[in-house]
Amino acid sequence: MQLAALIETIFRITESQRKALHKFRIKTIEDLLYHFPSRYGDVAEVRNIENLQKGETAVVFGRISNLKATKAFRKKIPMGTGELHDDTGKIQIVWFNQPYLAKMIPEDALVRVEGKVSERRKSGTLYFSNPKIEKVETIPHEVGNSLFRKSQTLSAESLTLTPENHALHSVYSESRGITSNWFYHAVQKILKTGVLETLTDPLPQEILKKYHLPSFKTALIWIHAPQKESDAVAARKRFSFEEVFLIQLEKQKERRLWQKEKSFTIEKGEEHIARFTKRFPFSFTNAQNKAVSGILEDFRKGVPMARILEGDVGSGKTAVAATTSYAVVTSRPQGQSYGTLQVAYMCPTEILAKQQFENFISFFSHLPINIGLITSSGCRKFPSKVNPHGATDISKSQLLKWVQNGEIPILVGTHALIQKVVKFKHLAYAIIDEQHRFGVAQRKALVHKEKIVPHLLSMTATPIPRTLALTMYGDLDLTILDELPPGRKPIITELIAPKDRDTTYEKIRKELQTGRQCYIITPRIDEPDPDKEFAVQARSAKAEAKRLKERVFPEFEIGVMHGKLKDAEKESVMEDFKDGKISILVSTSVVEVGVNIENATVIVIEGAERFGLAQLHQLRGRVLRSTHQAYCYVFTESGGKKVLERLRALQEAKNGFELAEYDLKFRGAGKLSGREQWGVSDVAMEALQNLKMVEAARFEAKRLLEEDATLSQYPFLIEHLASRKKEEIHFE
Ligand code: ADP
Ligand code: MG
C-alpha cells in the first residue's frame, strides 16, 4: 500500500462516507493518517450550545431553568421540559415519559447534560431528547477546548469501549455519514498493514534529536492510539512542529525566489521626501518615519521589496504609503529622461478605493501627477481637463491606454486592478491595503503583472499574534507601526448591560446633538426567522434601524448599510454619512475596514459576544479618527461570565496585538478556525500558542535552505512539500 493511494482502493466507501471524507479533505491514505483525533477521553464531546449539531451525542455544561412537568400537546404523553443556557446560547430539554426528571433538579442549578441532540421537524430547532442530567458544582474551564477530558478518561467503561484496550480513547471529529469509530478502525487497519515500516520521516533526523521529537512512525501510533497522555502530547507536538516547519520552508523558499527577481532601484532619500511631507497638516510619528526610511532603504537595493506594514487602526498607514509612492512617481525609469515610475494601490472594497483615491488627490494635487481610479463600476481620472482641481469619469479603455503608456503614474483600484487588460509601462511599486482581505493568488497576480517585479507593500490593521505573523508572513519583512498620532484620546469603552440601554441612548443623543455622528453595528442583516424560536435573536441592521427611528431617535436621520446592498447604494449611503446628511449609520460589520469619517465619534456594537476581539477592536477603530473624544458602547445580552471577561479585555488591552494574543489563548486552539482563516490545521494552531516552537521551526527552515537551497539531501521533504501543495490546489 502506498501513502498516496486513494481511500476507495483500500476501504469500501459508501456515498455518504465519501461526502463526509471530502468535507474533511481526506482523499488518500496519507490524508487519513493525518486526520488526528480531536481529543481523547469521554465518548461524547463537551460542546458549547451554539456548536451543537443535529444527531450527535454531546455533553453540555450550563444552567437549567424553566423546569416543568407537562403533557405533550396532542398525544398527551407526560413529559418534563427545561431550558439549558450557556455563554453561547440556549437549548430546550425534553424528557418524554419522565416528567419527574424536571422535579429532581433545582431551578437555576448548574448542570451537566449528556444526550442526543434532536431537531424539530417543522422549525428546525434543536433540543436534547431524554438526556442524562446531573447537578455539578462548577462549570469546567475551557469547555469545548481542552484536548483531554479528565472526568471519565480512565473509567472502566471507557476502557471496555476501546477495542484494543488503549488507555485513552481517541475521539475524531465526526460528520454526517462518518463516525469517530470508523476513523479509529480505518486508521488502525492501515497502521497494521506494516505501511509504517516503509515510510521515511519527512523531518531530518538531527532536528528530531535536537528538539526531542518522536519519529514519524512512533508519533503516528501515539497520536492515534496513545497509551498515556504524555505520548499523545509528544506526538501532537511533533506534528505541529512539522506543519509549522513545512510552512516556513515554503515561505522561505518563496522569499529566496523573490529575492532573485529584478526590480527597480529607486534612489530617493529623506531630504527629497521632506518636500512632500512638509505639506502635511501634521508631523509624522516616529513609527511612521521609521517605516518610511525602511521602505526607502529597500527601494535602493535593486531586489524587490516584500514588506508587510502592520499598524493598528488609525496609526497612519496611508500617509506612509503616499510618501513612499511620492519617491516612486518622482523617479524616472532607468536611462530615461522623461516619464515616471508607476504605483498600483489595491483596496478590498469600492468604498475604500474611492476614499484612498480622494486621499491621494489631496496629497498629490500640487504636483503634475495624474491619478487614476479603476473599479468594476467605472473609471476616474484626476485632474479633469476642464477642472484642474477635480476628478472626472473616463472610459475604461481610455484609462487603460494612459496606464499603459505611463501617463497615469498612480492607479488606485479594487481587485479590478489585477485584470490582465490592465497593463503598466513601469510598475515599480504595488501597495495592498487591508491585505488580509485578499488571497495569496490575488497578491501574486498584482505583483507579477510585468517582467520586472514591483516592490510590494502589504498593509494590514489586523493585529495577529506574533507566532501567527512569523508563520504566515514568513516570506515578508515586517514593519510595525506601534504608535498612534499624538493627541488621540483613548476611546472610552463601556460594556452596557441590557438594563442600561436607555441611559446609554441618552448619552448618545447628547453627543449627536452637538453635531457628531454615530455608528451602530449589528451582527445580522435581516430579521431572524420568527419560526426559529430558539435561534439566536441577534439584532439585524434593517430592523434595528427601523426600531431606532420609531422608538429612540426619531429626530435624527438614520441610514442602513450592509454587504448585500449594491455598490452604488453603499456608496450613496456612505456619501450621505460623510456629508452629515445621516447622523446614525446602522451597519453590519462591513464598515470594519478602513472607512474614515472624522466626525463620527460614537460606535455602538450590538451582540458583541458574536464578534472576535480583534474584530471588535477594528470596529472600534472606526471612531479613532480625530482628536475628539470617542466612545464605544459594547452591548451584550449575554450575561455569561466568560463572555463578559472576554469583552472586558477590550476595555483593558492597550492595543490590538495584546487583544490578538488574548483571543488566541482564550478561544483556544481550533476555535480560531485556523483552517478557514489561515489554512493551517488544528494541530498547527496548537503550535501557535508556543512562540519558542514557532521560532525554532523558522530557524531550522532558514538554516536548512542556507545549507542546501534545493533540499537535494532531503528528498522526503520535497515530496512532502509537493503533496501539501497538491492538496491546496485540489481543494481550492
Ligand atoms: P490607518 O493606519 O488605519 O490606515 P489612516 O492612514 O487612515 O490610518 O490615518 C488615520 C487618520 O490619521 C487620517 O485622518 C490621517 O490623516 C491621520 N494621521 C495620519 N498620520 C498622522 C500623524 N502623524 N499625526 C496626526 N494625524 C495623522
Ligand atoms: Mg487604512
Side-chain angles (χ1 to χ4, degrees):
M1 177 173 37
Q2 292 212 317
L3 281 188
L6 296 179
I7 302 257
E8 285 96 313
T9 62
I10 313 287
F11 297 99
R12 193 186 300 239
I13 301 282
T14 66
E15 185 55 23
S16 64
Q17 283 173 331
R18 203 186 55 76
K19 277 194 190 132
L21 287 170
H22 183 82
K23 218 168 121 199
F24 283 118
R25 301 161 159 260
I26 298 173
K27 260 188 93 76
T28 65
I29 296 303
E30 183 174 14
D31 300 337
L32 186 60
L33 288 178
Y34 271 88
H35 181 67
F36 302 141
S38 55
R39 60 193 184 81
Y40 309 89
D42 274 356
V43 179
E45 190 165 0
V46 180
R47 297 306 257 315
N48 289 323
I49 290 175
E50 70 174 358
N51 296 331
L52 290 176
Q53 281 176 11
K54 175 180 126 184
E56 71 177 348
T57 300
V59 174
V60 171
F61 287 88
R63 203 173 276 284
I64 188 95
S65 59
N66 268 332
L67 286 160
K68 275 186 218 133
T70 59
K71 286 216 166 94
F73 180 61
R74 251 176 264 140
K75 296 186 189 143
K76 301 257 190 285
I77 305 170
M79 60 180 210
T81 60
E83 236 173 57
L84 181 68
H85 289 254
D86 73 3
D87 284 353
T88 67
K90 64 178 175 182
I91 183 167
Q92 211 196 15
I93 298 183
V94 182
W95 296 280
F96 296 101
N97 291 315
Q98 299 163 291
Y100 52 87
L101 274 176
K103 296 285 170 209
M104 290 178 57
I105 302 279
E107 201 51 29
D108 287 327
L110 289 181
V111 291
R112 176 186 185 278
V113 171
E114 175 174 353
K116 180 138 188 250
V117 180
S118 310
E119 187 185 64
R120 290 225 158 73
R121 227 175 302 139
K122 245 169 114 186
S123 59
T125 314
L126 298 180
Y127 65 100
F128 270 115
S129 55
N130 298 327
K132 278 193 258 174
I133 182 164
E134 61 189 309
K135 205 166 155 279
V136 294
E137 287 311 310
T138 50
I139 290 191
H141 196 55
E142 293 208 290
V143 161
N145 286 342
S146 96
L147 205 51
F148 297 97
R149 312 264 167 248
K150 291 286 180 320
S151 51
Q152 299 177 2
T153 312
L154 296 174
S155 72
E157 192 189 22
S158 67
L159 275 179
T160 51
L161 276 168
T162 56
E164 309 288 324
N165 267 10
H166 292 298
L168 289 170
H169 182 75
S170 303
V171 183
Y172 297 82
S173 34
E174 304 185 329
S175 181
R176 182 206 288 260
I178 212 150
T179 62
S180 171
N181 242 345
W182 186 90
F183 280 119
Y184 183 81
H185 289 290
V187 169
Q188 292 307 313
K189 187 172 165 196
I190 295 169
L191 294 183
K192 282 208 198 84
T193 60
V195 68
L196 292 192
E197 308 307 324
T198 68
L199 298 180
T200 325
D201 204 315
L203 289 181
Q205 280 304 315
E206 82 258 18
I207 291 184
L208 294 179
K209 262 207 206 105
K210 188 162 162 193
Y211 298 99
H212 308 290
L213 299 171
S215 72
F216 190 45
K217 185 180 141 194
T218 307
L220 275 176
I221 295 171
W222 281 1
I223 204 164
H224 287 291
Q227 294 290 336
K228 50 185 195 293
E229 198 172 309
S230 58
D231 287 352
V233 169
R236 295 185 86 89
K237 187 172 147 202
R238 183 223 137 93
F239 284 114
S240 58
F241 180 92
E242 178 182 308
E243 185 163 340
V244 173
F245 175 73
L246 291 174
I247 295 173
Q248 290 286 357
L249 262 186
E250 263 163 49
K251 300 276 173 188
Q252 297 299 331
K253 271 174 80 177
E254 262 170 44
R255 185 184 168 85
R256 295 170 78 94
L257 279 181
W258 179 256
Q259 288 186 326
K260 278 196 197 132
E261 300 276 359
K262 271 222 303 240
S263 198
F264 297 87
T265 310
I266 298 157
E267 307 260 8
K268 298 291 185 211
E270 264 76 5
E271 329 74 63
H272 176 77
I273 293 299
R275 277 185 244 164
F276 184 71
T277 53
K278 73 168 194 279
R279 301 177 50 94
F280 283 30
F282 47 76
S283 48
F284 270 18
T285 62
N286 285 331
Q288 282 172 316
N289 275 326
K290 252 193 247 160
V292 169
S293 302
I295 293 167
L296 293 182
E297 209 170 288
D298 287 351
F299 280 174
R300 279 175 220 130
K301 289 182 182 156
V303 277
M305 170 175 85
R307 192 167 278 282
I308 182 149
L309 181 63
E310 230 192 307
D312 234 331
V313 241
S315 56
K317 294 184 289 292
T318 314
V320 172
T323 304
T324 46
S325 296
Y326 171 78
V328 173
V329 298
T330 50
S331 296
R332 299 246 181 260
Q334 218 148 22
Q336 218 173 278
S337 57
Y338 57 92
T340 78
L341 298 180
Q342 289 173 295
V343 177
Y345 190 112
M346 182 161 76
C347 304
T349 65
E350 194 155 334
I351 294 176
L352 260 187
K354 290 197 168 135
Q355 183 178 297
Q356 297 302 52
F357 176 63
E358 296 296 332
N359 267 335
F360 269 70
I361 291 174
S362 70
F363 290 137
F364 287 90
S365 58
H366 63 291
L367 297 163
I369 302 274
N370 297 327
I371 304 176
L373 173 71
I374 181 167
T375 70
S376 52
S377 60
C379 300
R380 292 174 74 74
K381 173 186 164 274
F382 173 90
S384 119
K385 268 201 192 109
V386 280
N387 173 10
H389 302 294
T392 181
D393 289 335
I394 59 172
S395 72
K396 184 170 171 187
S397 58
Q398 183 63 72
L399 178 103
L400 292 180
K401 213 174 98 198
W402 280 333
V403 171
Q404 187 161 18
N405 71 15
E407 272 180 63
I408 292 186
I410 300 178
L411 183 60
V412 179
T414 56
H415 51 267
L417 265 174
I418 57 184
Q419 303 164 81
K420 283 229 168 64
V421 286
V422 182
K423 295 203 171 69
F424 289 82
K425 179 137 188 158
H426 296 293
L427 179 61
Y429 190 20
I431 302 170
I432 301 181
D433 203 354
E434 310 291 350
Q435 69 100 29
H436 57 281
R437 300 278 300 258
F438 292 101
V440 175
Q442 286 163 312
R443 186 171 100 193
K444 283 201 173 139
L446 182 64
V447 294
H448 289 299
K449 287 192 88 66
E450 320 294 329
K451 261 194 247 87
I452 304 183
V453 176
H455 299 288
L456 168 71
L457 184 68
S458 264
M459 307 200 290
T460 179
T462 305
I464 65 171
R466 195 173 148 67
T467 48
L468 203 49
L470 280 175
T471 307
M472 303 323 296
Y473 304 150
D475 51 339
L476 306 173
D477 294 310
L478 181 66
T479 301
I480 294 185
L481 285 186
D482 53 2
E483 200 178 343
L484 289 181
R488 293 276 159 85
K489 301 190 185 77
I491 300 172
I492 297 178
T493 302
E494 285 183 39
L495 291 188
I496 309 292
K499 68 176 174 39
D500 298 327
R501 196 171 264 279
D502 292 339
T503 45
T504 308
Y505 284 142
E506 284 319 304
K507 287 192 208 164
I508 296 172
R509 187 188 315 282
K510 291 227 171 68
E511 190 73 9
L512 292 174
Q513 280 164 351
T514 69
R516 301 264 179 261
Q517 289 162 286
C518 168
Y519 294 100
I520 296 192
I521 308 296
T522 67
R524 307 176 49 102
I525 300 176
D526 285 306
E527 203 46 30
D529 183 352
D531 281 350
K532 294 195 177 169
E533 43 179 333
F534 291 112
V536 191
Q537 294 290 323
R539 284 175 192 262
S540 75
K542 285 182 193 164
E544 183 64 2
K546 190 158 164 263
R547 188 186 73 88
L548 289 171
K549 183 76 193 170
E550 282 168 7
R551 311 234 185 105
V552 188
F553 297 117
E555 73 271 41
F556 293 111
E557 274 308 308
I558 300 182
V560 182
M561 172 82 162
H562 55 76
K564 286 208 185 129
L565 290 181
K566 301 219 173 67
D567 283 341
E569 293 170 315
K570 278 189 208 163
E571 196 187 324
S572 90
V573 174
M574 267 344 266
E575 279 303 309
D576 287 351
F577 194 52
K578 218 174 188 167
D579 298 344
K581 286 188 198 145
I582 292 174
S583 296
I584 301 173
L585 184 63
V586 184
S587 169
T588 58
S589 57
V590 290
V591 290
E592 179 191 345
V593 283
V595 170
N596 185 7
I597 291 174
E598 293 195 6
N599 192 42
T601 55
V602 180
I603 186 163
V604 170
I605 301 170
E606 293 280 357
E609 67 279 359
R610 298 170 63 86
F611 296 99
L613 283 179
Q615 197 186 7
L616 287 171
H617 177 70
Q618 280 212 307
L619 284 168
R620 175 172 63 177
R622 294 303 110 232
V623 293
L624 189 84
R625 289 287 156 174
S626 65
T627 46
H628 309 303
Q629 179 61 58
Y631 304 88
C632 173
Y633 298 114
V634 180
F635 284 14
T636 170
E637 308 287 328
S638 158
K641 206 172 127 242
K642 272 176 71 179
V643 170
L644 292 181
E645 195 184 316
R646 196 162 74 90
L647 293 177
R648 219 159 277 134
L650 195 65
Q651 274 177 308
E652 280 151 27
K654 281 190 276 313
N655 56 46
F657 296 98
E658 239 174 61
L659 281 174
E661 299 285 347
Y662 191 87
D663 243 354
L664 182 66
K665 285 215 185 68
F666 204 83
R667 286 201 185 176
K671 290 284 155 173
L672 271 175
S673 66
R675 175 69 74 190
E676 284 108 70
Q677 233 178 324
W678 304 103
V680 301
S681 74
D682 287 353
V683 133
M685 287 305 282
E686 285 169 34
L688 297 176
Q689 311 247 14
N690 184 343
L691 179 61
K692 275 209 185 107
M693 185 195 282
V694 170
E695 281 174 342
R698 182 178 163 98
F699 172 82
E700 296 299 337
K702 272 190 167 165
R703 185 184 60 80
L704 215 64
L705 287 169
E706 264 154 33
E707 286 169 10
D708 181 2
T710 58
L711 297 177
S712 59
Q713 297 168 53
Y714 305 95
F716 319 116
L717 262 182
I718 297 178
E719 236 169 73
H720 233 73
L721 286 173
S723 82
R724 278 179 61 88
K725 268 246 162 64
K726 249 206 319 253
E727 195 214 358
E728 271 165 34
I729 292 164
H730 180 81
F731 285 103
E732 247 172 29

